[in-house]
Amino acid sequence: MSVLEEMRIRSLGVIDDAVVELSPGFTAVTGETGAGKTMVVTSLGLLLGGRADPALVRVGAKAAVVEGRITVSPGDAAALRAEEAGGEIEDGALIISRTVSAEGRSRAHLGGRSVPVGVLAELADELVAVHGQTDQQGLLKPARQRQALDRYAGDGVEGPHTTYAAAYRRLRAVVTELDELTTRARERAQEADLLRFGLEEVAAVEPLPGEDVELAAEAERLGHAEALASAAALAHAALTGDPEDQEGVDATTVVAAAGRSLDAVRAHDPALAALADRIGEISILLADVGGELAGYADQLDADPLRLAAVEERRAALTALVRKYGQTGQDTASVLAWAEEGASRLTELEGDDDRIGELTAERDALRGELSALGQELTDARTEAAARFAAAVTEELASLAMPHARVSFAIRQTEAPDEASGIDVGGRSVLYGPSGADEVELLLAPHPGAQPRPIAKGASGGELSRVMLAVEVVFAGSDPVPTYLFDEVDAGVGGKAAVEVGRRLAKLARSAQVVVVTHLPQVAAFADRQLLVEKTVDGSVTRSGVTVLEGEDRVRELSRMLAGQEDSETARAHAEELLETARVDG
């Protein structure tokens, strides 16, 4: 079992530097009002991922630091999570630290490794159950009472709840999609009409990939046909000669003459022979180019009608690109739009079929949730009877022998059929955790009508109900450490003794830390810590001391009568310690 061995607190609130040594069993933290007892709770909260408040940093300090040492066993959930985060466990101990700067920055370390604060919060679920006045107020809320019942029920409720929650999530998704399809039917019809019109325009033009690029080149050529033909003719004449000019000199004749002059002597020098070969290649190239120039002029189409047709086609393609393509793109972007548009149109045209499918699935899921909701209600009803009996038995041990605890499990009628499901023949509201509203009822004495604990329990009774609930949880869903902050508020006399006795019993199976102002509770602790404030000039600081022997008697006397040296108080304190030793 994991045990919080000690915490070191520096520069937190009124505490300058203190070491809190905790017992594996029951540790009571006492001290005068304002001495800083709640800083122990705050420190533990910081270690376990609580909110970092820079106002907690001691005046004049740069940062507050809390370090804790927790013994863990190999294979514990806490140990495994720490190792996953890269933390190291040395000699069975896990070191956790949290630093909060005066500027509000927060850092967390786990087993020597810097980790996100959220990792410490994850460990909290495995290590500590913290209960204070705010938790008691939380227990007054029906939602928290349902969570408490579900936690106690364990697998009996968890299995049906998991199945129900999955069906609920699917139903919400189906209803959301169905609502969107039906409420946006007009918009989707308009979108479909626009897509059909656009696809028909594209189909009418029938653009081809890269067609506009080819047409642009053709238009350029057709627009300058005369100039191109004239230039080709002049170039052809320059290369091959003009048949009508008998004395003209052309490039082909000149190069051929140069080649013949070199051929006559090429055998005498390899270098000159290479040059002669190159001139031969030039002659062949000139002949080829001349032939192509002659063919170019013949193939050149200067038909104005063809130019007009090309320009008309280009205008049609440009209009498509402007309407359905992308800026600076060609017909390929229009074709891409048409492909996506056709797919979207198919989806829109299938809305009617989809609405029918979703409606059928919604109705089926509502029927399934009805059965699952009833199963969940039955499981909670069975667990509620066991839970109430166990808490009632614990209250008998907390000086409330005639108190009776029970649960009211009911459902709220749905305002209309669409917002409810059928459970037991009634249309009821449903949510992610079922259709049940759970309320914890208390009848504090015989003849009293069970009333919600928010209305029927005093402060002291609520504290004992809270403790009884936690003791019951300890038997069914234990955690290693319980921290109670002023859980005994409103309790006194014999009831306080019973609270102390019950906390001592709980400490047999778990570590218990209690911040208390009651000597009857503190007397049952295995270890008592005193948070004491001292004033040195203008500086106020608090420290934490382990009380033993005479010092513990003095503190209990102070708690009993406000006088450490009162003989009557001392006798009562010693009697309390003896009672706790015998009964605890």
Side-chain angles (χ1 to χ4, degrees):
M1 182 181 72
S2 300
V3 174
L4 179 61
E5 288 188 336
E6 71 174 27
M7 291 191 299
R8 183 175 184 184
I9 308 169
R10 288 179 287 176
S11 302
L12 185 69
V14 295
I15 297 180
D16 182 22
D17 191 347
V19 176
V20 180
E21 299 178 1
L22 302 172
S23 166
F26 181 5
T27 299
V29 181
T30 64
E32 293 184 351
T33 301
K37 298 189 298 296
T38 57
M39 287 299 103
V40 176
V41 179
T42 301
S43 299
L44 186 57
L46 286 173
L47 280 183
L48 299 174
R51 187 178 68 88
D53 184 356
L56 295 173
V57 179
R58 184 175 172 82
V59 176
K62 294 182 178 180
V65 181
V66 181
E67 296 176 325
R69 185 172 72 244
I70 299 174
T71 59
V72 294
S73 302
D76 280 356
L80 294 176
R81 184 64 187 94
E83 290 171 351
E84 288 175 3
E88 295 185 0
I89 299 173
E90 297 183 1
D91 298 327
L94 178 63
I95 306 299
I96 304 176
S97 69
R98 182 84 179 275
T99 302
V100 180
S101 72
E103 291 78 22
R105 293 188 299 273
S106 173
R107 291 180 296 154
H109 289 81
L110 178 64
R113 176 67 62 87
S114 178
V115 296
V117 173
V119 174
L120 301 188
E122 292 175 14
L123 283 180
D125 294 335
E126 306 294 341
L127 293 173
V128 178
V130 180
H131 296 289
Q133 294 298 306
T134 56
D135 298 277
Q136 290 186 17
Q137 295 303 313
L139 189 62
L140 301 180
K141 300 177 182 178
R144 286 287 299 275
Q145 293 170 14
R146 185 186 62 212
Q147 293 171 6
L149 176 59
D150 289 354
R151 175 184 164 195
Y152 174 81
D155 293 340
V157 165
E158 184 178 358
H161 185 277
T162 300
T163 306
Y164 174 94
Y168 175 83
R169 288 192 297 270
R170 178 55 190 164
L171 176 59
R172 299 316 305 161
V174 167
V175 169
T176 299
E177 185 179 353
L178 190 57
D179 287 346
E180 180 183 359
L181 287 176
T182 54
T183 58
R184 294 185 56 201
R186 184 174 181 179
E187 295 178 17
R188 297 168 76 89
Q190 291 175 342
E191 182 184 357
D193 287 342
L194 289 174
L195 284 172
R196 288 192 196 93
F197 178 80
L199 291 172
E200 288 171 0
E201 275 197 307
V202 174
V205 176
E206 295 187 73
L208 299 174
E211 182 184 3
D212 47 353
V213 177
E214 296 176 2
L215 289 174
E218 185 178 359
E220 183 73 13
R221 186 169 63 253
L222 290 172
H224 299 82
E226 292 184 3
L228 292 172
S230 176
L234 289 173
H236 180 267
L239 291 177
T240 62
D242 187 346
E244 297 180 359
D245 185 2
Q246 300 298 325
E247 297 181 358
V249 179
D250 58 80
T252 302
T253 301
V254 172
V255 171
R260 287 193 298 272
S261 65
L262 294 179
D263 285 341
V265 295
R266 63 180 296 157
H268 303 301
D269 186 356
L272 193 62
L275 293 173
D277 291 340
R278 292 171 64 184
I279 289 176
E281 294 172 358
I282 292 173
S283 295
I284 295 172
L285 183 59
L286 288 174
D288 290 342
V289 172
E292 291 183 13
L293 285 172
Y296 176 83
D298 294 337
Q299 295 172 1
L300 188 61
D301 186 1
D303 184 2
L305 294 178
R306 174 57 186 169
L307 177 59
V310 168
E311 292 296 353
E312 183 179 355
R313 179 68 176 173
R314 289 185 67 201
L317 294 176
T318 300
L320 284 183
V321 172
R322 186 169 55 251
K323 292 178 69 174
Y324 305 112
Q326 297 179 2
T327 303
Q329 298 294 315
D330 56 16
T331 54
S333 63
V334 175
L335 294 171
W337 175 88
E339 182 178 356
E340 294 176 1
S343 176
R344 175 60 174 165
L345 182 59
T346 300
E347 177 184 335
L348 292 173
E349 289 176 338
D351 279 354
D352 290 342
D353 293 338
R354 182 60 178 159
I355 289 174
E357 294 172 359
L358 290 173
T359 301
E361 185 177 4
R362 180 201 62 189
D363 294 343
L365 284 169
R366 287 167 65 86
E368 183 180 349
L369 276 187
S370 174
L372 292 173
Q374 186 62 58
E375 183 180 350
L376 196 52
T377 298
D378 293 343
R380 283 178 174 143
T381 301
E382 186 277 331
R386 291 186 289 109
F387 192 15
V391 174
T392 296
E393 183 178 349
E394 285 298 326
L395 287 177
S397 301
L398 293 171
M400 294 178 67
H402 304 298
R404 295 292 179 270
V405 167
S406 60
F407 279 94
I409 300 178
R410 52 182 174 268
Q411 296 83 31
T412 300
E413 295 285 343
D416 52 66
E417 184 179 350
S419 60
I421 61 171
D422 181 83
V423 176
R426 297 183 301 123
S427 181
V428 300
L429 284 175
Y430 63 99
S433 295
D436 301 322
E437 292 182 5
V438 176
E439 194 162 34
L440 186 60
L441 307 178
L442 174 67
H445 52 80
Q449 290 296 318
R451 300 182 64 194
I453 58 172
K455 301 177 181 178
S458 66
E461 289 170 341
L462 182 59
S463 295
R464 280 176 279 177
V465 170
M466 182 69 178
L467 179 56
V469 167
E470 203 55 65
V471 171
V472 171
F473 278 148
S476 61
D477 184 24
V479 294
T481 300
Y482 293 89
L483 174 62
F484 294 95
D485 181 18
E486 303 285 359
V487 74
D488 49 18
V491 178
K494 181 180 178 182
V497 174
E498 296 302 331
V499 169
R501 184 177 286 114
R502 213 71 193 119
L503 288 169
K505 180 180 179 181
L506 179 60
R508 295 172 189 169
S509 59
Q511 183 181 32
V512 176
V513 181
V514 179
V515 178
T516 182
H517 66 283
L518 292 180
Q520 296 95 328
V521 172
F524 279 88
D526 299 305
R527 174 171 293 174
Q528 184 172 348
L529 303 179
L530 173 64
V531 181
E532 193 171 21
K533 181 168 59 177
T534 60
V535 179
D536 182 9
S538 61
V539 179
T540 301
R541 56 171 55 89
S542 291
V544 181
T545 306
V546 178
L547 297 179
E548 295 178 349
E550 181 63 25
D551 291 335
R552 188 172 184 186
V553 172
R554 285 175 58 83
E555 171 61 7
L556 290 175
S557 299
R558 181 199 66 77
M559 297 172 71
L560 282 163
Q563 301 176 7
E564 295 90 335
D565 298 324
S566 167
E567 290 299 326
T568 302
R570 288 175 58 82
H572 193 182
E574 291 172 349
E575 182 182 357
L576 277 177
L577 288 171
E578 179 61 22
T579 299
R581 186 185 66 80
V582 174
D583 297 346

